[in-house]
Amino acid sequence: MDANVRERIIKMKSMVFENLMESYIPFPMDKKLYSSWTESLERNKKTVLYTSYMYQISGILKRYEKLFPKIYRVNMPKKLISLSKFIIRPSDSELQRSFSILNNISSMLKKNGIDFGYLYEDEPYSGAILLESGFLYEFQKYGEKLRDFFHDRGIEKLITVDPHTTNALNRLKEIINFDIDVVNYLEIINFKGSGDYVIHDSCLYSRALNMYDPIRAKIKNAGINIHEDYLVTSREMGFCCGGPLSLISESDSEEISKMRSESLLKVNNNVMVMCPLCFENLSPYIDNIKDLAEVVS
Amino acid sequence: MDYEWNVAINKAIVNNAPKVEKILRENPYINDLAADLREKKLDVLNNIDKYIKQTEESVLRSGGGFHLARDSNDAIDIVRKIIGDKKNIVLSKSNVLYEIKLRETLASEGRDIWETDLGEYLVQINNDMPSHLIAPAIHLTKEKVGKILNENLDKSIDENSKTEDMVHSVREFLMKKYLAADVGITGANAVSADSGSVILVENEGNIRMDTVLPGIHIAITGIDKIVPTLKDAFNEAIVQAANAGFYPPTYINVSSGPSSTGDIELKKVTPATGPREFHLILVDNGRSDAIKSDLMESLLCIRCGRCYFSCPAYRLYGKDFGTSPYTGPTGIMWSAIIFKEYDKSEMCMHSGGCGEVCPMKIPIPKIIEKIKFRYTG
């Protein structure tokens, strides 16, 4: 592999890690804006809904990845990056879509009798990007900081809404004494829905977190008709949206996204995802693609 | 993506993955065997020195020669000492033979050395490298094979020839090589510590020829292939074949020492019809270090190759995903162990299908995560 790739990855690691250790976010972003999807949730609760900004920033992650080599090449000081044009904002439609999804999840949790709060702009990022890039030492160090952050606020339980955050926190339980309960919203709610879909499983939900069968059972019980094909949607043969490859090669990442989209569309025209990053990677190639939280209530 | 590769890999997936799923569904005992085998192999890895010693004693007891090679050079030196100036050699498909660069080294010394597995033979005459652990020529379409054979073996074969004719042409060529061979060199699917037996699974029949016709049979494999008993070795053969999509396997070969007979007064005499010499060379080449590391579970791999077809990176990159012959998800682990190469791990998307289908339940995504850490940590 090109030596520059290694250098770029290591540079990204140090930038992201430094940002996280200083400010709990991987790169400069407007936390106030991203937490403005609700005003009605209480701040001081032992159980909180934890977005880790994943739905809100999913639309701009790819643009950051494209921008990263430029930042890396000019070796710009971090403070300048924070103040500069390098703060990328999602479009209004991207932001509204993410807000709508988060509000629906919040509403379904309440309907299911679950009491929870939200940290608003104090919410930290989970550190998933460190884990998924193999930065295990940095992930552990940031995980310890994250655990202390939640301890200091008396938080005992986190309700996650996306696979990357859920997986990262579960892995922290293996690596350090991360003694805060972690539960994904799909594990604790029931919902109603309709329509015909082929599911593009999140790799993390279905395989790393062993949620393939429970999620399918809930979707079927909701009244949604699922179309299956062993080579496309089985736990063994279903595969990635291509997103994780984008740091190495944008074109290779897009090739996987395209390949995955084509195989899904052979099963059904309506595609359901459960991960904001899967949506971003597949939506350029699929017209009728929805997040589960846009389909059920 | 290369068009030819895209066609080849999609055909392979369609032909193989549903077949393996059906075999395992209809023969649930195979998963039970796999679970038992995992425990047995873990026991071996945790007590590797004891099992190497036991294997040595068993091989010597059966009249064979036992050799432990530290690395590739050591293994090749041992082979040179065994074969002396013998020139005619046939090989069966083995990743360890690639790992130690046996064919190219012996060929450079002027020996006539031939791969006898059809796929490996095609790879050899095409000056290529294998693209899959058990299907080395998976990247070659039928048309491409016709062209390669036309240019290298038989002018009557071309892109439009029937597959049967292509296979027949190679068979004719290899038959002459078997009959002329002084030495047959194979790998091993498993080696039983209690009997010193080498188990080899195959469908083509070439391994039978390689292990019986030449006067000397040398089996070269990694120390990770040791299992406690002959029963475990047979179980490994069944589990490997089923997960590779070949069930029942056409042949399972057992070699326990040189050929022998007890037909006269039941007194064991060696040699009989088959080889007069049998040698087992166990290769370390970084495996002992891996056993002591966080890559240990990688050594449970039985080389069924099932993980390849559940991997998006392999679909995209083919044999570039890893260091040949160790490609695909398991190849990323083995490239790290043997060649200390970590960079290709960055191509892994942690899709996780590899870990799902692995019959040995190796947590491949988590191990690759650790290899990524070695690359950038």
Side-chain angles (χ1 to χ4, degrees):
Chain A
M1 188 176 283
D2 186 349
N4 290 334
V5 172
R6 180 169 184 270
E7 207 181 331
R8 198 169 74 225
I9 294 169
I10 289 171
K11 187 78 183 174
M12 188 202 78
K13 170 175 73 175
S14 77
M15 278 178 63
V16 168
F17 183 56
E18 276 177 38
N19 280 330
L20 285 170
M21 294 306 276
E22 269 181 35
S23 55
Y24 294 100
I25 49 174
F27 47 78
M29 61 186 191
D30 188 342
K31 296 202 287 183
K32 209 163 178 69
L33 173 68
Y34 294 145
S35 58
S36 65
W37 58 272
T38 182
E39 291 176 345
S40 62
L41 295 173
E42 283 185 47
R43 276 181 186 268
N44 300 314
K45 287 278 190 182
K46 288 182 177 174
T47 297
V48 295
L49 188 150
Y50 181 41
T51 75
S52 189
Y53 303 102
M54 291 300 288
Y55 273 98
Q56 300 95 311
I57 64 172
S58 60
I60 61 171
L61 277 178
K62 271 185 175 284
R63 276 173 264 164
Y64 258 111
E65 281 162 0
K66 279 182 192 168
L67 190 61
F68 181 75
K70 292 178 196 163
I71 300 174
Y72 154 64
R73 271 200 295 275
V74 296
N75 209 14
M76 185 178 284
K78 193 150 51 62
K79 278 186 181 161
L80 274 182
I81 295 168
S82 310
L83 296 170
S84 74
K85 60 182 179 178
F86 292 117
I87 291 189
I88 301 173
R89 293 180 202 285
S91 69
D92 285 350
S93 64
E94 284 171 333
L95 207 54
Q96 286 316 309
R97 180 178 168 272
S98 73
F99 284 12
S100 165
I101 286 171
L102 292 172
N103 272 306
N104 192 31
I105 291 172
S106 174
S107 158
M108 287 191 286
L109 285 165
K110 283 182 201 160
K111 257 196 227 171
N112 279 265
I114 295 152
D115 186 32
F116 59 94
Y118 179 51
L119 290 169
Y120 292 87
E121 71 275 13
D122 291 337
E123 183 179 78
Y125 172 70
S126 70
I129 192 172
L130 296 173
L131 171 69
E132 291 165 20
S133 304
F135 308 150
L136 300 180
Y137 172 78
E138 289 77 7
F139 178 61
Q140 178 183 332
K141 286 288 149 207
Y142 179 63
E144 287 163 358
K145 186 178 170 73
L146 194 64
R147 177 192 57 199
D148 295 345
F149 173 94
F150 290 128
H151 278 170
D152 291 348
R153 283 155 185 78
I155 289 165
E156 294 173 359
K157 189 174 190 173
L158 298 166
I159 302 173
T160 56
V161 298
D162 74 279
H164 294 270
T165 308
T166 313
N167 182 57
L169 298 182
N170 275 287
R171 291 297 302 282
L172 280 179
K173 286 179 178 291
E174 291 173 21
I175 297 167
I176 59 170
N177 178 28
F178 192 83
D179 54 358
I180 297 153
D181 281 349
V182 176
V183 64
N184 182 270
Y185 85 101
L186 291 170
E187 295 175 272
I188 53 173
I189 64 164
N190 288 304
F191 41 75
K192 294 280 175 208
S194 63
D196 283 67
Y197 289 91
V198 55
I199 296 175
H200 166 76
D201 289 281
S202 142
C203 295
L204 295 175
Y205 275 158
S206 66
R207 290 177 279 275
L209 293 161
N210 211 17
M211 290 167 69
Y212 180 90
D213 290 326
I215 288 178
R216 268 176 169 60
K218 288 205 173 184
I219 293 174
K220 282 179 190 166
N221 286 340
I224 294 167
N225 190 23
I226 305 172
H227 294 252
E228 305 277 20
D229 178 320
Y230 178 74
L231 287 176
V232 180
T233 61
S234 67
R235 188 173 164 142
E236 295 90 348
M237 298 303 294
F239 68 84
C240 179
C241 65
L245 201 54
S246 57
L247 189 65
I248 307 302
S249 163
E250 199 186 323
S251 61
D252 291 351
S253 167
E254 286 171 1
E255 198 153 351
I256 292 284
S257 305
K258 199 170 168 215
M259 199 192 300
R260 181 63 181 155
S261 300
E262 284 168 358
S263 65
L264 289 163
L265 289 170
K266 282 180 191 160
V267 183
N268 197 273
N269 283 332
N270 300 322
V271 177
M272 179 190 287
V273 294
M274 285 157 248
C275 166
L277 303 185
C278 292
F279 181 90
E280 286 305 320
N281 291 306
L282 300 178
S283 55
Y285 311 101
I286 300 173
D287 292 335
N288 302 320
I289 182 167
K290 298 269 188 207
D291 190 281
L292 172 69
E294 293 176 288
V295 173
V296 299
S297 57
Chain B
M1 190 195 304
D2 173 56
Y3 173 76
E4 211 164 70
W5 168 249
N6 192 25
V7 170
I9 184 65
N10 281 315
K11 277 185 186 170
I13 289 171
V14 168
N15 288 334
N16 181 271
K19 191 162 72 175
V20 174
E21 190 276 331
K22 184 168 181 282
I23 290 167
L24 297 176
R25 183 167 26 86
E26 291 177 352
N27 301 279
Y29 83 96
I30 294 170
N31 283 337
D32 295 339
L33 289 186
D36 181 61
L37 185 61
R38 178 185 157 87
E39 294 309 311
K40 298 286 171 56
K41 287 177 77 75
L42 274 174
D43 178 46
V44 170
L45 295 179
N46 287 323
N47 300 282
I48 190 67
D49 293 338
K50 180 187 98 175
Y51 279 104
I52 290 173
K53 183 74 187 151
Q54 190 187 355
T55 304
E56 177 180 9
E57 289 166 0
S58 299
V59 170
L60 295 176
R61 199 169 53 241
S62 70
F66 177 88
H67 315 266
L68 185 60
R70 285 183 314 277
D71 53 29
S72 302
N73 290 336
D74 200 14
I76 288 177
D77 282 344
I78 292 166
V79 172
R80 284 197 190 102
K81 278 182 195 152
I82 295 169
I83 67 177
D85 58 1
K86 292 182 175 56
K87 287 220 177 312
N88 299 313
I89 303 166
V90 283
L91 306 177
S92 77
K93 174 160 53 65
S94 161
N95 296 297
V96 176
L97 301 190
Y98 268 105
E99 173 189 319
I100 64 173
K101 297 186 166 46
L102 181 88
R103 172 159 52 81
E104 60 189 87
T105 306
L106 296 186
S108 71
E109 296 168 2
R111 303 183 202 252
D112 190 53
I113 183 164
W114 289 97
E115 300 281 357
T116 60
D117 173 85
L118 177 61
E120 287 291 8
Y121 170 77
L122 294 169
V123 168
Q124 179 180 3
I125 61 173
N126 197 36
N127 289 319
D128 208 346
M129 286 297 276
S131 50
H132 187 277
L133 277 173
I134 60 155
I138 203 176
H139 56 295
L140 303 175
T141 58
K142 174 181 161 285
E143 292 70 24
K144 179 83 175 166
V145 170
K147 191 166 178 287
I148 293 168
L149 290 176
N150 179 279
E151 288 167 3
N152 296 281
L153 177 69
D154 183 349
K155 288 291 171 204
S156 73
I157 299 289
D158 61 24
E159 289 96 319
N160 301 315
S161 297
K162 287 196 295 185
T163 305
E164 288 80 358
D165 293 338
M166 296 180 186
V167 174
H168 179 76
S169 179
V170 176
R171 184 179 190 276
E172 295 263 289
F173 172 80
L174 288 178
M175 197 53 73
K176 291 175 199 147
K177 297 297 172 189
Y178 294 128
L179 294 171
D182 308 305
V183 183
I185 303 180
T186 68
N189 287 96
V191 176
S192 62
D194 66 341
S195 66
S197 308
V198 166
I199 293 277
L200 286 151
V201 192
E202 60 156 336
N203 299 296
E204 294 180 18
N206 64 306
I207 294 181
R208 295 227 150 163
M209 302 288 189
D210 295 334
T211 56
V212 172
L213 287 175
I216 301 172
H217 171 203
I218 305 171
I220 307 177
T221 194
I223 56 173
D224 53 296
K225 290 297 179 68
I226 300 174
V227 290
T229 67
L230 185 55
K231 180 183 165 207
D232 299 322
F234 274 110
N235 286 349
E236 179 156 343
I238 294 293
V239 174
Q240 193 271 354
N243 280 277
F246 299 104
Y247 181 84
T250 312
Y251 305 106
I252 296 180
N253 303 283
V254 188
S255 297
S256 312
S259 65
S260 61
T261 178
D263 280 359
I264 301 172
E265 297 180 339
L266 291 182
K267 183 189 173 196
K268 185 176 171 182
V269 174
T270 189
T273 308
R276 63 182 178 281
E277 285 183 41
F278 168 81
H279 296 270
L280 173 64
I281 303 176
L282 288 181
V283 180
D284 189 317
N285 229 5
R287 289 167 174 82
S288 291
D289 290 340
I291 289 171
K292 294 174 206 143
S293 79
D294 55 4
L295 305 182
M296 188 262 252
E297 283 185 85
S298 316
L299 283 94
L300 295 172
C301 177
I302 58 170
R303 311 284 207 278
C304 65
R306 195 178 173 204
C307 57
Y308 284 64
F309 299 141
S310 291
C311 172
Y314 181 67
R315 288 191 200 206
L316 182 66
Y317 296 114
K319 62 185 170 185
D320 292 335
F321 184 47
T323 305
S324 195
Y326 296 123
T327 58
T330 188
I332 293 298
M333 301 190 295
W334 280 91
S335 299
I337 291 169
I338 304 298
F339 305 122
K340 307 288 179 284
E341 288 187 8
Y342 312 127
D343 58 338
K344 306 288 177 64
S345 64
E346 291 292 338
M347 297 167 165
C348 168
M349 291 160 241
H350 296 287
S351 190
C354 52
E356 286 298 318
V357 299
C358 176
M360 290 295 98
K361 301 293 171 215
I362 301 170
I364 302 174
K366 284 187 182 172
I367 291 178
I368 294 181
E369 194 177 270
K370 287 163 186 159
I371 297 169
K372 283 189 178 184
F373 180 64
R374 280 167 167 75
Y375 183 58
T376 57

